[in-house]
Amino acid sequence: MKTKCILSSLALIIFAFLGGGSIDGKEFGVFGVIIIAAVVLAVIIGIISAIVENKNKNKRLKMIKEDEDNSTDFDRSVFIGDDRCKIYFDSSKKQVMIMRVTTEEIKKEYVDDFEFPGKDLAIYISPAFNIYDPVNRRLLSGSYNDFNVKYKITSISEKDKNTDVTINNSIRPRFRLYMKNKAILIEESHGLMAFSESGRVTDVFNYINANSLPEKKGDKSTINTKFVGKYMFVMDDFFKVLVLFENNIHEIFNYSDIIEVSYEENGTQLFTKSAGRTVGGAIVGGVLMGGAGAVVGGLSGASKQNKEVKSMDIKILLRSTSRTSYVLHFNEANRVLKTKEDSDRTLYETYLKNANQAKDILSVIIDSAKQVSAPTVQPVIQNVSASPSSVADELAKLAKLKADGILTEEEFQAQKAKLLS
């Protein structure tokens, strides 16, 4: 805050000089002295602030050490946190102690009937924390402000719609961090997720229905996660389900419902990959759009071109009439990027990299869905019954496939013979 005040004052001084008209040598010398003095003052304030903060930290650490040495009624061997907030776990008492430390005092809060989960289910990123008790299915979440700790216990079991289902797996729950202040609890054995932001649980939901849940067995997780741009992809490869987070909002998609993914820049489609296409009754898979899907211009990093980019979107086409698509926006600057400028080009390259990652994930999902739903051997083109009036149309389509290099001469002749037979 002090640094900002100094910079603001410096800016006012500059404007004052500029408003006064021309500056001669003497005034310029005075102006230079003022600038140097302001810089030196800012450095001094920064050094003093660092010294004071280090002194306060040492004082808090000393207070914690004295409190630990003088207290024998609570096990302090297992904990998470730092010098401002420390959370201890007493396994014998099944109790948690939350300790807020300031340079003036120490405040303590206790949580009863809480099983120690292990540090993999206890995360702390100042000033927030999330701790999950998988035995009692209770999520302790909270954060501290200047003087106090605010926390809440959320009963996950009460919000679980799959409580009356036989669970045939022993997969351990886990946390996944999403940005600095967001965390996702994944309780795979119950097909459930809980979203927490800044130490506050905002959403608990089931991503798998009760009828399907018993199908998952064993103790090996089938969930993968990927943080891309402002999105978190959570993929269950057993149930073929994608949970997509955008900040505190989630969307759930079956792999099989995603039939196409495309990249659009300024509304122009540069890449598309489809789960399959139907041309005149003939089923054509990836071959129609190219061996690896449809590359219409390619999603490449031509960022050195002098262009202006307003939108960078990944569009997901869905197998639904009620909701036909879902769009991921990757121009997080929310303004026109001019790639001839170094700063904008750097942003463009970063956003393009993120869009590429999202495109790759969704392309793999499309392929995964096809492997499950498609026959072991899927012919490129299946024979269809055609009336004489439609034969010419089918021949024209085959000719175009050949002209585009999708069909070889032999394949073209074979399909032509089937149509004419």
Side-chain angles (χ1 to χ4, degrees):
M1 181 61 71
K2 293 180 180 179
T3 303
K4 289 183 178 179
C5 290
I6 293 173
L7 293 175
S8 299
S9 300
L10 183 59
L12 289 174
I13 293 172
I14 294 173
F15 280 115
F17 271 99
L18 293 177
S22 60
I23 302 175
D24 59 25
K26 183 178 180 180
E27 291 172 332
F28 185 80
V30 174
F31 181 61
V33 170
I34 292 175
I35 291 178
I36 294 173
V39 172
V40 171
L41 181 60
V43 171
I44 292 174
I45 291 175
I47 293 173
I48 293 174
S49 296
I51 293 173
V52 171
E53 175 55 35
N54 187 62
K55 182 179 179 181
N56 289 339
K57 180 178 180 180
N58 289 333
K59 184 176 181 180
R60 290 191 295 268
L61 290 173
K62 183 179 179 181
M63 292 170 63
I64 292 172
K65 182 67 169 56
E66 291 176 352
D67 186 80
E68 289 177 344
D69 292 341
N70 295 329
S71 301
T72 58
D73 61 336
F74 200 94
D75 183 5
R76 304 291 189 94
S77 60
V78 181
F79 62 87
I80 60 172
D82 56 20
D83 58 289
R84 296 177 182 273
C85 183
K86 218 163 185 181
I87 303 169
Y88 300 89
F89 305 93
D90 192 322
S91 299
S92 61
K93 293 184 176 182
K94 296 182 180 181
Q95 196 174 47
V96 177
M97 181 174 71
I98 306 171
M99 190 168 76
R100 173 71 174 110
V101 186
T102 66
T103 54
E104 289 79 26
E105 62 178 333
I106 291 178
K107 292 184 178 181
K108 300 177 183 178
E109 300 277 353
Y110 293 89
V111 179
D112 297 325
D113 300 321
F114 203 94
E115 296 276 358
F116 172 60
K119 288 193 174 182
D120 59 326
L121 288 176
I123 58 173
Y124 173 89
I125 300 179
S126 179
F129 56 86
N130 289 278
I131 308 162
Y132 187 54
D133 172 4
V135 176
N136 299 304
R137 302 187 69 196
R138 303 170 76 202
L139 178 56
L140 170 62
S141 54
S143 64
Y144 67 84
N145 53 25
D146 291 340
F147 302 104
N148 300 304
V149 175
K150 294 182 179 180
Y151 70 91
K152 182 178 180 180
I153 298 176
T154 302
S155 175
I156 299 299
S157 59
E158 291 180 359
K159 296 181 179 295
D160 184 7
K161 297 179 181 179
N162 294 339
T163 53
D164 297 328
V165 179
T166 301
I167 305 300
N168 293 323
N169 70 80
S170 56
I171 302 172
R172 184 171 173 78
R174 54 177 166 161
F175 279 111
R176 281 293 178 266
L177 293 178
Y178 171 30
M179 301 183 180
K180 180 182 178 181
N181 62 337
K182 300 176 177 64
I184 302 170
L185 171 67
I186 304 174
E187 197 176 33
E188 194 171 346
S189 59
H190 290 266
L192 178 143
M193 297 184 192
F195 182 87
S196 174
E197 182 174 6
S198 300
R200 186 171 66 91
V201 177
T202 59
D203 196 9
V204 180
F205 61 93
N206 290 97
Y207 69 95
I208 298 297
N209 62 49
N211 294 331
S212 301
L213 196 59
E215 297 174 12
K216 183 176 283 191
K217 301 177 182 179
D219 59 0
K220 186 177 180 180
S221 173
T222 62
I223 283 185
N224 296 297
T225 61
K226 185 70 175 179
F227 179 37
V228 182
K230 61 180 179 180
Y231 301 97
M232 173 66 85
F233 292 76
V234 183
M235 297 150 284
D236 191 321
D237 289 335
F238 180 85
F239 290 115
K240 306 295 181 184
V241 169
L242 165 67
V243 182
L244 186 59
F245 288 89
E246 180 181 359
N247 294 318
N248 61 345
I249 300 172
H250 74 272
E251 301 285 345
I252 303 175
F253 305 102
N254 292 315
Y255 284 10
S256 58
D257 289 337
I258 300 175
I259 59 178
E260 185 178 272
V261 56
S262 61
Y263 172 71
E264 296 181 359
E265 202 169 278
N266 293 338
T268 301
Q269 190 178 85
L270 301 182
F271 170 93
T272 181
K273 179 182 178 66
S274 173
R277 282 286 192 272
T278 301
V279 179
I283 298 176
V284 182
V287 177
L288 174 62
M289 302 305 290
V295 182
V296 184
L299 181 49
S300 61
S303 55
K304 293 184 179 180
Q305 299 175 0
N306 292 335
K307 58 180 180 179
E308 296 185 355
V309 181
K310 182 178 181 180
S311 62
M312 305 172 68
D313 300 329
I314 291 288
K315 184 177 181 180
I316 306 172
L317 188 62
L318 302 172
R319 197 186 306 275
S320 172
T321 56
S322 60
R323 188 183 191 186
T324 58
S325 64
Y326 187 78
V327 180
L328 310 181
H329 304 286
F330 285 93
N331 183 359
E332 296 183 35
N334 293 319
R335 61 177 175 82
V336 176
L337 301 176
K338 300 178 180 179
T339 60
K340 66 180 180 181
E341 299 177 5
D342 291 343
S343 58
D344 277 12
R345 184 169 64 251
T346 299
L347 285 176
Y348 173 76
E349 290 173 347
T350 299
Y351 299 154
L352 187 63
K353 180 181 178 181
N354 292 339
N356 260 307
Q357 289 182 335
K359 175 264 297 180
D360 290 343
I361 292 171
L362 292 164
S363 296
V364 170
I365 285 175
I366 287 176
D367 287 339
S368 178
K370 285 196 298 184
Q371 291 171 7
V372 172
S373 59
T376 304
V377 178
Q378 174 66 54
V380 174
I381 298 181
Q382 296 176 347
N383 191 23
V384 295
S385 299
S387 63
S389 61
S390 65
V391 170
D393 292 335
E394 297 300 325
L395 284 173
K397 291 167 185 174
L398 287 173
K400 187 177 186 308
L401 291 175
K402 177 190 171 187
D404 292 341
I406 294 173
L407 293 179
T408 64
E409 176 66 29
E410 292 77 12
E411 291 170 335
F412 170 74
Q413 293 296 339
Q415 296 302 326
K416 176 181 176 182
K418 290 181 180 180
L419 283 171
L420 297 176
S421 61

